[in-house]
Amino acid sequence: MSNNINNTERFHSIVETVIERHRHRPGALLPVLHDIQEALGFIPSATVGQIAGGLNLSRAEVHGVISFYHDFRYAPGPQVRICMGEACQSMGSAALLSQATEILGDGVEPVYCLGNCACAPNIDISHAYHGRMSQEKLASLLAREVAA
Amino acid sequence: MNITVYVSRDSGALAVGAEAVANAILAQAAERGITVDLVRNGSRGLYWLEPLVEVETAEGRVAYGPVDRDDVPGLFEADFLHGGAHPLAQGLTEEIPYLKAQQRLTFRRVGITDPLSLDDYRAYEGYRGLTQALEMTPAEIVAAVTESGLRGRGGAAFPTGIKWNTVLEAVGEPKYIVCNADEGDSGTFSDRMVMEGDPYLLIEGMAIAGLAVGAEQGYIYLRSEYPHAEAILNEAIARAGAAGYLGDNLRGSGKRFHLEVRRAAGAYVCGEETALLESLEGKRGQVRAKPPLPAIKGLFQRPTVVNNVISLASVPAILDKGPAFYRDYGMGRSRGTLPIQLTGNIRRGGLVELGFGVSLKELLYDYGGGTASGRPIKAVQVGGPLGAYLPAEQFDIPLDYEAFIAAQGTVGHGGIVVFDDTADMAHMARHAMAFCAVESCGKCTPCRIGSTRGVELLDRIIAERDKGTDSAQVTLLRELCDTLLNGSLCALGGMTPFPVLSALEHFPADFGLVAETAHA
Ligand SMILES: Cc1cc2nc3c(=O)[nH]c(=O)nc-3n(C[C@H](O)[C@H](O)[C@H](O)COP(=O)(O)O)c2cc1C
Ligand code: SF4
Ligand code: FES
């Protein structure tokens, strides 16, 4: 319980700092959401009202933006993303996605193009991209880099 | 004199281990008491050779690749620092046929210079275009770009000079320059290579655009999948500002231009220019109805140039060398060069910049060397996820906007994705519908809901195809494609039928059809 209160306070003070950093900028909402997510790993739903108030928007507007974009989330995102763009599919990324899903379940998501299509297939583990992926390399990367 | 060694900092090279190779080279050199100057350049675009290591010699740069960190001690043993023989040696970089045969105008510096060095940039003709532009009137700059024949490289191929002229003549202050760096198409990375490998080129192009239309503020809307590009751009913007190439007094001219990078948030549709503007304004990325054009009412309802990275990066050379120089490359109404990206199942994937007119066959076999798997090529998709799938019978088509339209395809941003004969084209058609469903901005019913219907139809076709597909399902799929073609506000819904129908047309067997029923 006291942990929750601490978290709530921490969230609010971080959000306040972030809003202060960007509020003067035109179209500040996306930069604000990115910074909050970078600091906390997600956007706590309890901060939507604070964000709205700080930027002179309605809660509905802020929620609308968070839910529209794939990047923004109310809960921590997956640690592993497998590229399912066409170039990576042509090199067998579908098998990588099944392999990773079998091991990590919800901790994996597809992504559509990491911009390294000449070295397909590509994956993203904790914001580091790995190209020319194979099932063997994926198995050892997951064993090494991903917390079970 | 120290020996200079180059290892790329391009994120494509990093994804295949360039950082570990760079560190291994420094460690080995230290161990052997040798001092090397390690330059982290952009990528040459020879991605099958990445991580590529180059060494400066009296004859020119000598290349080794693809280098694994474990190869590094062996390279030292082979005296690679003096161009020594080694199984990974590729000879002089500039003599590698893939590179030598290219016409690199926009990419002339990428992979050669240190991306953040302004000295390097100027030593290789950088900022000569801006210097010219500062001596010209806005109308003269616009005229030069119009005369060059440059058309937008983001997909729609609209003449850049005409767009700039509309913004120049539009009433309303302030005006904006927006660079579309959302590069969402699978099979493309040329924007990224420029931003990571030659960021001042984009900065210079945007400053020229600002002078041309009277805009003092620019934004680069950059996809969030490109964190390295973001860091390099921000550093380059700071350095360009400190040196007077951005800011309140461009090279002492009294003219202003400010630039800012804005990170996108992972929505493919935000590459569409009006959705992009909504997103820059901090809103959901929903497509706006046109008119009004962004050139008249764009960002914050002000006149706005929206251009792709490569379009803007093509401009400095046009001003420096003159419109005729640029226009002399290409064919028909497609003038200049196109940075083509060879990707997917291809032996030599990479960046090939050539004048328009090169055939797919030359690109796929002479440059690309066929598939990576060694199997026959079954199909290529040109122009991103909304581009058509083309079979081998169509590989004589030249890279030319009009020729691709005639073949019911699109050149798009110049990405080519190769599939070998194990590819399941019904599955790829399903993927196109599923992608549309995931990425739809939600404004039009056919795109939002029809695409999910399309996925269901294709699931049924795929499930039944071994027993022979019911042609009624195919008729429904075609009708749905018609609805998407005619009932969509933007090309996401409007072009999703291209990959679907081309797959059906050229690969009927994958849909459980014999050739005639597919055409019926
Ligand atoms: C769904 C969709 C996605 C698009 N994605 C991009 C993109 O990622 N990058 C881009 O430059 N243009 C993209 N475009 C094209 C833009 O709408 C616009 O035509 C382009 O930015 C104009 O710049 P240009 O004339 O320099 O090509 C996309 C269009 C659509 C319909
Ligand atoms: S076609 Fe799709 S993405 Fe384009 S405006 Fe309509 S709903 Fe939005
Ligand atoms: S399709 Fe996977 S990196 Fe582009």
Side-chain angles (χ1 to χ4, degrees):
Chain A
M1 198 61 205
S2 72
N3 230 343
N4 278 344
I5 294 169
N6 283 344
N7 255 346
T8 311
E9 277 174 13
R10 190 167 68 93
F11 292 165
H12 284 288
S13 91
I14 286 171
V15 168
E16 192 177 306
T17 317
V18 169
I19 291 173
E20 211 37 61
R21 190 181 310 148
H22 295 294
R23 65 172 1 132
H24 62 281
R25 300 170 78 184
L29 182 55
L30 264 71
V32 163
L33 294 176
H34 271 303
D35 278 10
I36 294 173
Q37 191 154 290
E38 221 160 77
L40 301 173
F42 65 105
I43 295 159
S45 52
T47 62
V48 168
Q50 189 190 356
I51 299 168
L55 297 177
N56 242 335
L57 301 166
S58 73
R59 279 164 168 271
E61 282 170 307
V62 175
H63 171 72
V65 166
I66 294 171
S67 56
F68 182 85
Y69 293 97
H70 299 306
D71 280 1
F72 301 134
R73 14 183 118 240
Y74 286 122
Q79 212 179 335
V80 176
R81 300 193 296 172
I82 310 280
C83 183
M84 289 295 284
E86 284 84 349
C88 287
Q89 286 202 44
S90 79
M91 291 297 281
S93 66
L96 300 177
L97 183 61
S98 323
Q99 182 188 353
T101 307
E102 214 160 274
I103 301 170
L104 298 170
D106 286 347
V108 186
E109 274 184 10
V111 58
Y112 299 96
C113 196
L114 296 169
N116 191 26
C117 327
C119 300
N122 288 281
I123 67 165
D124 166 12
I125 300 185
S126 310
H127 307 297
Y129 298 170
H130 304 265
R132 290 186 203 132
M133 197 40 54
S134 64
Q135 303 200 3
E136 301 74 58
K137 280 195 252 177
L138 179 61
S140 69
L141 271 171
L142 291 183
R144 198 172 71 224
E145 311 252 339
V146 180
Chain B
M1 221 180 82
N2 291 345
I3 295 169
T4 308
V5 176
Y6 298 84
V7 177
S8 178
R9 62 182 297 175
D10 172 280
S11 55
L14 296 177
V16 290
E19 195 66 31
V21 170
N23 290 333
I25 289 172
L26 290 177
Q28 278 289 319
E31 210 169 281
R32 291 160 197 262
I34 309 167
T35 344
V36 297
D37 289 331
L38 182 67
V39 176
R40 304 303 301 272
N41 54 345
S43 173
R44 295 276 194 164
L46 314 171
Y47 277 105
W48 79 97
L49 293 177
E50 290 288 1
L52 184 76
V53 174
E54 292 178 88
V55 181
E56 192 75 64
T57 72
E59 289 74 42
R61 290 186 200 171
V62 176
Y64 298 84
V67 177
D68 188 85
R69 89 172 102 186
D70 297 338
D71 296 321
V72 171
L75 283 171
F76 275 88
E77 293 301 320
D79 198 20
F80 85 115
L81 290 179
H82 296 95
H86 187 277
L88 296 176
Q90 304 291 333
L92 292 171
T93 316
E94 304 280 351
E95 296 297 320
I96 295 172
Y98 192 96
L99 191 58
K100 191 176 186 179
Q102 296 191 31
Q103 294 165 319
R104 288 205 165 183
L105 307 185
T106 306
F107 276 72
R108 77 178 297 315
R109 269 178 303 267
V110 178
I112 295 176
T113 53
D114 173 347
L116 285 169
S117 163
L118 269 167
D119 287 339
D120 271 14
Y121 188 66
R122 284 179 297 234
Y124 288 86
E125 304 184 349
Y127 276 122
R128 289 178 20 176
L130 181 70
T131 306
Q132 287 292 327
L134 284 167
E135 309 273 298
M136 296 161 75
T137 65
E140 284 168 348
I141 302 173
V142 170
V145 173
T146 307
E147 272 172 47
S148 75
L150 175 67
R151 292 162 73 182
R153 301 291 189 243
F158 188 82
T160 305
I162 294 179
K163 184 184 286 185
W164 288 18
N165 197 47
T166 309
V167 179
L168 172 62
E169 289 178 353
V171 186
E173 296 285 331
K175 296 176 179 177
Y176 296 104
I177 308 296
V178 171
C179 171
N180 188 341
D182 203 43
E183 194 159 67
D185 290 357
S186 164
T188 68
F189 48 77
S190 59
D191 295 348
R192 179 183 60 67
M193 282 185 70
V194 164
M195 294 185 284
E196 293 178 349
D198 199 15
Y200 297 119
L201 176 63
L202 175 59
I203 294 170
E204 181 180 357
M206 290 186 73
I208 293 170
L211 293 172
V213 305
E216 297 183 345
Q217 177 68 47
Y219 291 98
I220 300 172
Y221 185 82
L222 177 69
R223 68 194 307 242
S224 60
E225 291 82 355
Y226 287 177
H228 292 284
E230 182 173 332
I232 292 173
L233 281 171
N234 279 325
E235 177 63 24
I237 287 169
R239 293 192 193 188
Y245 292 106
L246 284 174
D248 285 330
N249 187 9
L250 289 183
R251 301 307 285 164
S253 66
K255 307 243 172 57
R256 297 163 192 249
F257 192 68
H258 293 267
L259 196 49
E260 191 182 318
V261 178
R262 283 291 177 100
R263 195 188 307 162
Y268 176 77
V269 72
C270 288
E272 194 282 335
E273 57 185 2
T274 62
L276 185 159
L277 295 173
E278 290 287 301
S279 184
L280 265 181
E281 291 179 11
K283 303 177 194 152
R284 296 160 66 91
Q286 282 199 309
V287 174
R288 296 177 184 168
K290 286 190 260 193
L293 291 172
I296 310 282
K297 281 188 193 309
L299 186 62
F300 303 114
Q301 299 297 309
R302 296 296 191 282
T304 302
V305 169
V306 184
N307 271 137
N308 172 257
V309 174
I310 301 294
S311 313
L312 291 161
S314 302
V315 166
I318 291 169
L319 288 210
D320 175 25
K321 298 186 160 62
F325 169 83
Y326 192 78
R327 198 180 53 221
D328 281 347
Y329 292 87
M331 73 172 274
R333 290 178 47 223
S334 306
R335 308 313 315 175
T337 59
L338 181 69
I340 298 150
Q341 300 119 96
L342 296 181
T343 76
N345 196 335
I346 187 143
R347 196 147 77 90
R348 291 191 291 266
L351 185 113
V352 179
E353 182 177 355
L354 285 171
F356 284 91
V358 60
S359 74
L360 278 175
K361 200 173 260 162
E362 278 173 81
L363 289 165
L364 296 170
Y365 297 104
D366 298 350
Y367 285 89
T371 61
S373 60
R375 304 182 66 95
I377 299 181
K378 177 170 182 171
V380 300
Q381 185 179 36
V382 183
L386 308 174
Y389 284 105
L390 305 173
E393 299 85 79
Q394 290 188 310
F395 291 174
D396 285 323
I397 300 181
L399 264 267
D400 166 65
Y401 292 122
E402 278 63 44
F404 265 75
I405 292 169
Q408 262 125 46
T410 175
V411 170
H413 188 45
I416 301 180
V417 181
V418 180
F419 294 81
D420 76 8
D421 62 351
T422 62
D424 175 350
M425 302 316 291
H427 177 82
M428 296 318 295
R430 181 199 187 276
H431 170 75
M433 283 291 185
F435 184 75
C436 180
V438 171
E439 300 297 339
S440 171
C441 86
K443 219 167 190 175
C444 326
T445 314
C447 174
R448 189 181 70 239
I449 297 173
S451 52
T452 301
R453 279 280 295 136
V455 173
E456 291 161 7
L457 275 169
L458 279 156
D459 276 341
R460 215 167 303 146
I461 290 171
I462 290 168
E464 290 171 5
R465 65 185 166 184
D466 293 337
K467 295 172 265 160
T469 297
D470 177 2
S471 65
Q473 303 285 342
V474 177
T475 307
L476 284 174
L477 183 64
R478 286 184 178 284
E479 282 170 9
L480 180 68
C481 284
D482 266 349
T483 314
L484 277 166
L485 277 167
N486 299 315
S488 299
L489 188 56
C490 86
L492 180 51
M495 283 172 64
T496 291
F498 282 27
V500 175
L501 293 176
S502 58
L504 185 62
E505 161 108 8
H506 300 302
F507 307 98
D510 287 6
F511 295 79
L513 301 166
V514 285
E516 300 92 84
T517 26
H519 291 278

Coordinates of all heavy atoms in Angstrom, one line a residue, chain A residues 114-117, chain B residues 10-13 43 47 183 188-197 225-226 229 309 413:
Chain A
L114 N 12.2 -2.3 -39.0 CA 13.2 -1.6 -38.2 C 14.2 -0.8 -39.1 O 15.1 -0.2 -38.5 CB 13.9 -2.6 -37.3 CG 13.0 -3.3 -36.3 CD1 13.7 -4.5 -35.6 CD2 12.5 -2.3 -35.2
G115 N 14.0 -0.8 -40.4 CA 14.8 0.0 -41.3 C 16.2 -0.6 -41.5 O 17.1 0.1 -41.9
N116 N 16.2 -2.0 -41.4 CA 17.5 -2.6 -41.7 C 17.2 -3.8 -42.7 O 17.7 -4.9 -42.4 CB 18.2 -3.1 -40.4 CG 19.6 -3.6 -40.7 OD1 20.2 -3.2 -41.6 ND2 20.1 -4.5 -39.8
C117 N 16.4 -3.6 -43.7 CA 15.8 -4.6 -44.5 C 16.8 -5.4 -45.4 O 16.5 -6.4 -45.9 CB 14.7 -4.1 -45.3 SG 13.8 -2.7 -44.5
Chain B
D10 N 26.5 3.4 -38.8 CA 25.2 3.2 -39.3 C 24.5 2.2 -38.5 O 25.0 1.1 -38.1 CB 25.3 2.8 -40.8 CG 24.1 2.4 -41.4 OD1 23.6 1.3 -41.2 OD2 23.5 3.3 -42.2
S11 N 23.2 2.4 -38.2 CA 22.5 1.4 -37.3 C 22.4 0.0 -38.0 O 22.3 -1.0 -37.2 CB 21.2 2.0 -36.8 OG 20.4 2.3 -37.8
G12 N 22.3 0.0 -39.3 CA 22.3 -1.3 -40.0 C 23.6 -2.1 -39.7 O 23.6 -3.3 -39.4
A13 N 24.7 -1.4 -39.7 CA 26.0 -2.0 -39.5 C 26.1 -2.4 -38.0 O 26.6 -3.5 -37.6 CB 27.2 -1.1 -39.8
S43 N 27.4 4.3 -43.6 CA 27.6 3.0 -44.4 C 27.7 3.3 -45.9 O 27.0 4.2 -46.4 CB 26.4 2.1 -44.1 OG 26.5 0.9 -45.0
Y47 N 25.5 -3.6 -47.8 CA 25.2 -4.2 -46.5 C 25.6 -5.7 -46.4 O 25.8 -6.2 -45.3 CB 23.7 -4.0 -46.2 CG 23.4 -2.7 -45.6 CD1 22.8 -1.7 -46.4 CD2 23.7 -2.4 -44.3 CE1 22.5 -0.4 -45.8 CE2 23.5 -1.2 -43.7 CZ 22.9 -0.2 -44.5 OH 22.6 1.0 -44.0
E183 N 9.7 7.2 -42.8 CA 10.2 6.0 -43.5 C 9.6 4.7 -43.1 O 10.3 3.8 -42.5 CB 11.7 6.0 -43.5 CG 12.3 5.0 -44.5 CD 13.8 5.2 -44.8 OE1 14.6 5.1 -44.0 OE2 14.0 5.6 -46.0
T188 N 12.8 -0.2 -47.1 CA 13.4 1.1 -47.3 C 14.2 1.5 -46.1 O 13.9 1.2 -44.9 CB 12.4 2.2 -47.6 OG1 11.6 2.5 -46.5 CG2 11.5 1.8 -48.8
F189 N 15.3 2.2 -46.4 CA 16.2 2.7 -45.3 C 17.1 3.8 -45.8 O 18.1 4.2 -45.2 CB 17.1 1.6 -44.7 CG 17.8 0.7 -45.8 CD1 18.9 1.1 -46.5 CD2 17.2 -0.5 -46.1 CE1 19.5 0.4 -47.4 CE2 17.8 -1.3 -47.1 CZ 18.9 -0.9 -47.8
S190 N 16.8 4.3 -47.0 CA 17.7 5.3 -47.6 C 17.6 6.6 -46.8 O 18.6 7.3 -46.6 CB 17.3 5.6 -49.1 OG 16.0 6.0 -49.2
D191 N 16.4 7.0 -46.3 CA 16.3 8.2 -45.4 C 17.3 8.0 -44.2 O 18.0 8.9 -43.8 CB 14.9 8.4 -44.9 CG 13.9 8.7 -46.0 OD1 14.3 8.9 -47.1 OD2 12.7 8.7 -45.7
R192 N 17.2 6.8 -43.6 CA 18.0 6.6 -42.4 C 19.5 6.7 -42.7 O 20.2 7.3 -42.0 CB 17.7 5.2 -41.9 CG 18.5 4.8 -40.6 CD 18.3 3.4 -40.1 NE 18.6 2.4 -41.0 CZ 19.8 2.0 -41.5 NH1 20.9 2.7 -41.1 NH2 20.0 1.0 -42.3
M193 N 19.9 6.1 -43.9 CA 21.3 6.2 -44.2 C 21.8 7.6 -44.4 O 22.9 8.0 -44.0 CB 21.6 5.5 -45.5 CG 21.6 4.0 -45.3 SD 22.1 3.2 -46.9 CE 23.8 3.6 -47.1
V194 N 20.9 8.5 -45.0 CA 21.3 9.9 -45.1 C 21.4 10.6 -43.7 O 22.4 11.3 -43.4 CB 20.3 10.7 -46.0 CG1 20.5 12.2 -45.9 CG2 20.6 10.3 -47.5
M195 N 20.4 10.4 -42.9 CA 20.4 11.0 -41.6 C 21.5 10.6 -40.7 O 22.1 11.4 -40.0 CB 19.0 10.8 -40.9 CG 17.9 11.5 -41.7 SD 16.3 11.3 -40.9 CE 15.8 9.6 -41.2
E196 N 21.9 9.3 -40.8 CA 23.0 8.8 -40.0 C 24.3 9.0 -40.6 O 25.3 9.2 -39.9 CB 22.8 7.3 -39.7 CG 21.6 7.0 -38.8 CD 21.3 5.5 -38.6 OE1 22.0 4.7 -39.3 OE2 20.5 5.1 -37.8
G197 N 24.4 9.0 -41.9 CA 25.6 9.1 -42.6 C 26.0 10.4 -43.2 O 27.2 10.6 -43.5
E225 N 11.6 4.4 -34.5 CA 12.5 3.2 -34.7 C 13.9 3.6 -35.0 O 14.7 2.7 -35.2 CB 11.9 2.3 -35.8 CG 10.6 1.6 -35.5 CD 9.4 2.5 -35.7 OE1 9.5 3.7 -36.0 OE2 8.3 2.0 -35.5
Y226 N 14.2 4.9 -35.2 CA 15.5 5.4 -35.6 C 16.2 6.2 -34.5 O 16.6 7.3 -34.7 CB 15.4 6.2 -36.8 CG 15.1 5.5 -38.1 CD1 14.9 6.2 -39.3 CD2 15.0 4.1 -38.2 CE1 14.6 5.6 -40.5 CE2 14.7 3.5 -39.4 CZ 14.5 4.2 -40.5 OH 14.2 3.6 -41.7
A229 N 19.6 7.7 -35.6 CA 19.5 8.9 -36.5 C 19.1 10.1 -35.6 O 19.6 11.2 -35.9 CB 18.4 8.6 -37.5
V309 N 12.8 13.0 -46.9 CA 14.2 13.2 -46.7 C 15.0 13.3 -48.0 O 15.9 14.2 -48.2 CB 14.8 12.1 -45.8 CG1 16.3 12.2 -45.6 CG2 14.1 12.1 -44.4
H413 N 9.1 4.7 -52.5 CA 10.3 5.3 -52.0 C 11.5 4.5 -52.4 O 12.6 4.6 -51.9 CB 10.2 5.2 -50.4 CG 11.2 5.9 -49.7 ND1 11.7 7.2 -50.0 CD2 11.9 5.6 -48.6 CE1 12.7 7.5 -49.2 NE2 12.8 6.5 -48.3

